[in-house]
Amino acid sequence: MKTNRHCRVSLGVVAVGIGTALGALCLATGVVSAYSTFCGRWRNGTASFAVNPNFADASAGAASAQIAAIRGGADEWTTNGNANFSWTYAGTTSIATIDVNDHVNAIYAYAADGGSTLAETYCASNQAGEIVGIDMRFYDNNRTWASGTPAGGEFDIQGVACHEFGHALGLGHSSDPAATMYPSTSAGATNLRTIAADDVAGIQSIYGVRNPIRIDSVIAAQGQIRGGTQVNVAGANLAQSNRVFFGGVEGTVVSSPNSSSLVVRTPAGAALGSVDVEVRNASGSSTLPSGFTYVANSPGLAYEGSTQAGRTIQVVVYGLPNARFALVCDTDPGPRTRQGLQLCVGFSSAFRVLNDSLRRSGTGIRLDGRGEGRVPYVVPSDPGLLLQSITFDAVVDVGVGERSLAVTDCMPITVFP
């Protein structure tokens, strides 16, 4: 059996009912006391939320600005709460109604007059006292909202969201006027964006003090120096908000399946060999010495830039450090197919060019010390080529002598007008 509760952010009145709990952010004064709890706690110390960026006020900004403001309110608890809890952004949603049992923790603007209410958080919990769903709505008809610094008559989306996220993680109101969970605010104020000592004590009372992060191993512990290898960082007390560095260069955290695992995409390396892997959060860091090894690139192709007609793109060739290579392209409608593999029409030309360069000592284009070479290419602007494919291929020296050559996969691009 689920119990639905409801927290509301008000302009003067805080109502808490049996079965439906309602927390409010008010424009009133109060007596200093401590935090309170509300609704329950998330079982795994983490929860996701989705945003419907549908605020109507011009000062609320574009969808991206609204999302950033709401995410800022959530990140404050994750980063500075120093508790075993983290919020995760799950993308956008079109939901604009309250349904705490639909498995989507939705946040949206509500086109209605809330009277004294600024925003509300609805919460569902089970008999074990575990929160199983929340929804949050901001009243948008009787207030003007701002995603940036609010003017005197505007209310701060990020600060009010931070207060509401406190309810959504299980906190009630605090009577400490310095706390984000204090039920009072005013137009133009941004003080709710930063949680105070009482807020930190409150979240830690529910979820405990954050345990130090620890990295134990990196699964798939080697990858090409060009970067882009997806690895699993294993350890303890990990969260998607962590930052992961390979030899001091930050990678991209893709996901956090659980508190003992991070899926990370490696950055490009500076040199071949092993590097330290470090995980950081607001409270500290953990390092695995020589936890990842950069190896030479396999022969391959990529491109950077716009493929519009007349633009210059950079064709990137990958291979062994300092290896010779030759690059060709062909503007026929498409590549030929042989034994299921795409081969560029110009392969034989590339092979001949590289062979000729290898015969002449000291000639030929070389990849750099990281095994990358960039060749500028102007996309043709001939109207006859518009919306057609141009194919690229390269031949790369992978050893010693003329017999140690490798052809890259054919790389087609589509030319746009």
Side-chain angles (χ1 to χ4, degrees), residues 89-105:
Y89 175 59
T92 58
T93 179
S94 60
I95 292 174
T97 57
I98 297 295
D99 183 355
V100 290
N101 299 311
D102 64 359
H103 307 294
V104 178
N105 301 320

Side-chain angles (χ1 to χ4, degrees), residues 106-167:
I107 302 172
Y108 62 92
Y110 185 40
D113 187 338
S116 64
T117 301
L118 285 173
E120 301 172 312
T121 294
Y122 289 74
C123 170
S125 59
N126 59 23
Q127 290 180 318
E130 298 167 342
I131 301 174
V132 295
I134 64 101
D135 284 324
M136 186 187 305
R137 67 186 182 187
F138 292 67
Y139 281 96
D140 201 18
N141 274 13
N142 61 328
R143 296 289 175 265
T144 302
W145 294 97
S147 58
T149 302
E154 300 167 351
F155 285 88
D156 183 26
I157 294 176
Q158 181 173 334
V160 173
C162 189
H163 176 98
E164 290 302 300
F165 274 114
H167 287 312

Side-chain angles (χ1 to χ4, degrees), residues 62-88:
S64 59
Q66 297 175 29
I67 293 168
I70 292 171
R71 292 186 66 178
D75 290 344
E76 174 65 11
W77 292 99
T78 297
T79 303
N80 295 321
N82 199 28
N84 292 316
F85 182 89
S86 61
W87 285 111
T88 301

Side-chain angles (χ1 to χ4, degrees), residues 92-281:
T92 58
T93 179
S94 60
I95 292 174
T97 57
I98 297 295
D99 183 355
V100 290
N101 299 311
D102 64 359
H103 307 294
V104 178
N105 301 320
I107 302 172
Y108 62 92
Y110 185 40
D113 187 338
S116 64
T117 301
L118 285 173
E120 301 172 312
T121 294
Y122 289 74
C123 170
S125 59
N126 59 23
Q127 290 180 318
E130 298 167 342
I131 301 174
V132 295
I134 64 101
D135 284 324
M136 186 187 305
R137 67 186 182 187
F138 292 67
Y139 281 96
D140 201 18
N141 274 13
N142 61 328
R143 296 289 175 265
T144 302
W145 294 97
S147 58
T149 302
E154 300 167 351
F155 285 88
D156 183 26
I157 294 176
Q158 181 173 334
V160 173
C162 189
H163 176 98
E164 290 302 300
F165 274 114
H167 287 312
L169 59 83
L171 283 174
H173 286 125
S174 170
S175 294
D176 180 354
T180 290
M181 296 312 296
Y182 181 66
S184 177
T185 193
S186 59
T190 60
N191 59 298
L192 297 180
R193 295 182 179 187
T194 304
I195 60 176
D198 187 64
D199 303 307
V200 173
I203 186 176
Q204 290 180 358
S205 74
I206 300 173
Y207 297 97
V209 178
R210 180 182 293 147
N211 295 320
I213 57 175
R214 189 183 76 242
I215 175 173
D216 295 329
S217 64
V218 176
I219 301 170
Q222 72 173 32
Q224 296 182 54
I225 193 172
R226 64 186 288 187
T229 301
Q230 190 159 292
V231 302
N232 191 304
V233 176
N237 307 310
L238 304 175
Q240 191 159 352
S241 58
N242 295 158
R243 301 173 67 189
V244 183
F245 296 81
F246 296 78
V249 182
E250 188 167 7
T252 302
V253 177
V254 177
S255 65
S256 178
N258 50 61
S259 62
S260 61
S261 178
L262 289 175
V263 178
V264 186
R265 190 164 54 250
T266 63
L272 300 179
S274 297
V275 296
D276 295 347
V277 180
E278 180 187 14
V279 181
R280 301 178 191 170
N281 65 14

